[in-house]
Each structure stands twice: as C-alpha cells, then as structure tokens.
Amino acid sequence: MADLDNTDRTLLRMLQRDGTLALAELAEAVNLTTTPCWKRLKRLEESGILRQRVALLDPVKLGLSFTAFVQIKTSNHSKEWYHCFVATVSDFPEVMEFYRMAGEYDYMMKVQVADMAAFDKFYKKLVNSIEGLTNVTSTFAMEPLKYTTALPV
C-alpha cells in the first residue's frame, strides 16, 4: 500500500463517505489548518491515489434496477482483437464494470439497465458488435446485499 500516514487515511476515508466535504471540515477532523490539509489532498491527487470525486446515483430511482453479470469466452486472444473488444465494450454506457479474468471465462462485465427487454437489446448489440465470442453467459442479480465504492484504507 502507498506510504500513507493516519492523517492521509482519515482524509481518504472521509472523502469516500462524502466527497462534498468542505476543506475546513476535513482540516478540522484531522487537526490541521486548511493550507496543510489542502497540500495533503493535492499530493494525494497528484500521486493518483485520489483519482476523482464523483456523485453516486441511485439506479432504482433512475429506472435502472436490472443488474446483469455477463461472462464471456473468446477464441481470439490477439492484441488487435483485444484492443478492439475493449474499445467497443467500453463505449457501451450500460457496462458499469468490465474485467479481464483468469479462470473459466475470459471477461466479465456488470451491466445496469431498466429491465429484461433493455438487457436483451444490450445483449444483441454486444454479440453483433464483436466477432470471436464463443460463449456469452449472463446471470441476473435478484437483490443487492452489499454495495460500496469505499476501499478499506
């Protein structure tokens, strides 16, 4: 793990819970004045540890409550195919997460859509956009039991 002290870790935990916290509030929580606190945050950003600050949206309230996990096998493992595949899948807004895997499947993605009909549309778009997919298997989440974006720092 990066060379972080307790103050850095506290700042990161606080920002993971609420990225809108004011600099003064962060500084007070770690017993610093605002200037040294700002310098720490700047260092964490410049090092890439603090990548970005975002808003987390509620998929159910936005009508996107259908979560699918798609596992893919391919017969093509060339560098060119890989780059094309990654670029194509990365452009699909429904794909929330996308991984190259070890094990039985080569790739896995998390897909967030409105319902089964929307997933079927996504599925057809996926399989018709990429040559060389030999097996596309999907499973569907019935209930989210834990979701977090907070890393254990």
Side-chain angles (χ1 to χ4, degrees), residues 4-5 19 27 32 42 59 63 74 79 90 92 109 111-112 120-121 135 139 141 150:
L4 302 173
D5 63 17
L32 292 174
K42 194 75 177 152
T74 181
K79 184 178 182 179
S90 295
F92 292 159
M109 61 185 79
V111 176
Q112 198 76 40
D120 187 49
K121 184 178 175 183
N135 186 343
T139 56

Side-chain angles (χ1 to χ4, degrees), residues 70 72 84-85 87-96 109 111-113 116-133 136 138:
V70 180
I72 295 172
C84 179
F85 178 60
T88 300
V89 171
S90 295
D91 281 343
F92 292 159
E94 304 92 342
V95 177
M96 306 306 297
M109 61 185 79
V111 176
Q112 198 76 40
V113 292
M116 181 59 85
F119 178 77
D120 187 49
K121 184 178 175 183
F122 164 82
Y123 177 87
K124 289 173 183 170
K125 182 171 65 170
L126 173 69
V127 298
N128 289 310
S129 297
I130 306 290
E131 296 289 327
L133 303 181
V136 180
S138 303

Side-chain angles (χ1 to χ4, degrees), residues 62-106:
L62 291 169
L64 299 168
S65 61
F66 193 88
T67 305
F69 295 92
V70 180
Q71 295 174 300
I72 295 172
K73 289 183 184 180
T74 181
S75 58
N76 192 337
H77 296 279
S78 73
K79 184 178 182 179
E80 296 79 20
W81 183 90
Y82 168 80
H83 287 296
C84 179
F85 178 60
V86 170
T88 300
V89 171
S90 295
D91 281 343
F92 292 159
E94 304 92 342
V95 177
M96 306 306 297
E97 298 177 46
F98 181 34
Y99 302 94
R100 187 170 62 88
M101 305 297 289
E104 184 178 350
Y105 288 91
D106 299 311

Side-chain angles (χ1 to χ4, degrees), residues 30-50:
V30 294
N31 297 316
L32 292 174
T33 60
T34 55
T35 301
C37 184
W38 179 84
K39 286 181 180 178
R40 280 179 179 264
L41 292 173
K42 194 75 177 152
R43 179 178 47 81
L44 291 167
E45 287 173 345
E46 289 170 355
S47 71
I49 292 171
L50 182 54

Side-chain angles (χ1 to χ4, degrees), residues 1 4 6-22 26 41 44 48-57 146-153:
M1 191 180 289
L4 302 173
N6 286 335
T7 300
D8 291 334
R9 292 177 198 285
T10 300
L11 288 170
L12 292 171
R13 281 192 298 272
M14 291 177 70
L15 287 171
Q16 285 188 107
R17 281 192 301 273
D18 184 354
T20 66
L21 291 172
L26 291 166
L41 292 173
L44 291 167
I49 292 171
L50 182 54
R51 291 191 328 203
Q52 66 188 92
R53 300 177 202 197
V54 299
L56 299 176
L57 308 180
K146 179 179 180 180
Y147 170 80
T148 184
T149 61
L151 296 173
V153 294

